[in-house]
Amino acid sequence: MSNQNKLILRRFFEELFNQGNLAAADEIVGANYLNHNAVPGETPGRAGLTQFVSYLHSAFRDLNFTIEDQLAESDKVVTRWNATGIHQGEFAGIPATGKPVVITAINIHRVVDGQVQEGWLNWDALGLLQQLGVVPAPDR
C-alpha cells in the first residue's frame, strides 16, 4: 500500500500543482481534506486546496514542482520537493517582482482509501522572501 500511496502523491503534485488540473482533485483528494498549515482565509476541504493551487498559479508563472525524495509507511507519505516559477502576480501581499524563485519544502500527507486526506507542510518561507527582495539576504 505504501508504494500505491506514493503514486497518489506523485499524481497530486503533477496533476494538481504542475498541470493546474483542478478536476483531478475530485479523484485524488478527500472532500474533507485537512490542511494543517492552511493560509489565512483558506476555505476548508478539497475546495480550499484547489483555490490555493489556483492562487499559486496566478502568483507564479511556469510553476513546476519537482519531487526530490519520497518515503512512505502505513498511511503516511513524506515528500521533499522544490518548486520553481516566476513571480508574476501578487503573493502574500507582495506585488509581482518578475523574479525567478526556488521554493524548498517537505510535506507529510495521509492517504486513506486512495485519497489524500491530510497534509502538513514545512517550507522555506524566509528563503522565498529573500529571493523576492522583501527580506534582505544575509551577507556571506
Side-chain angles (χ1 to χ4, degrees), residues 77-96:
V77 179
V78 178
T79 307
R80 182 176 67 88
W81 55 263
N82 73 59
T84 57
I86 308 295
H87 184 217
Q88 71 173 4
E90 180 273 330
F91 178 75
I94 304 165

Side-chain angles (χ1 to χ4, degrees), residues 44-71:
R46 180 192 302 141
L49 176 65
T50 57
Q51 288 170 350
F52 182 68
V53 171
S54 293
Y55 175 67
L56 284 179
H57 278 270
S58 70
F60 298 99
R61 183 180 76 236
D62 302 327
L63 186 63
N64 186 66
F65 284 68
T66 300
I67 294 174
E68 300 292 343
D69 286 303
Q70 202 171 46
L71 303 168

Side-chain angles (χ1 to χ4, degrees), residues 67-126:
I67 294 174
E68 300 292 343
D69 286 303
Q70 202 171 46
L71 303 168
E73 185 173 320
S74 185
D75 63 350
K76 301 272 184 8
V77 179
V78 178
T79 307
R80 182 176 67 88
W81 55 263
N82 73 59
T84 57
I86 308 295
H87 184 217
Q88 71 173 4
E90 180 273 330
F91 178 75
I94 304 165
T97 63
K99 294 181 179 182
V101 298
V102 177
I103 303 166
T104 60
I106 296 174
N107 266 113
I108 300 173
H109 288 99
R110 187 172 68 88
V111 179
V112 177
D113 296 330
Q115 290 190 314
V116 181
Q117 300 293 339
E118 288 184 84
W120 296 262
L121 173 66
N122 188 324
W123 66 290
D124 183 13
L126 176 60

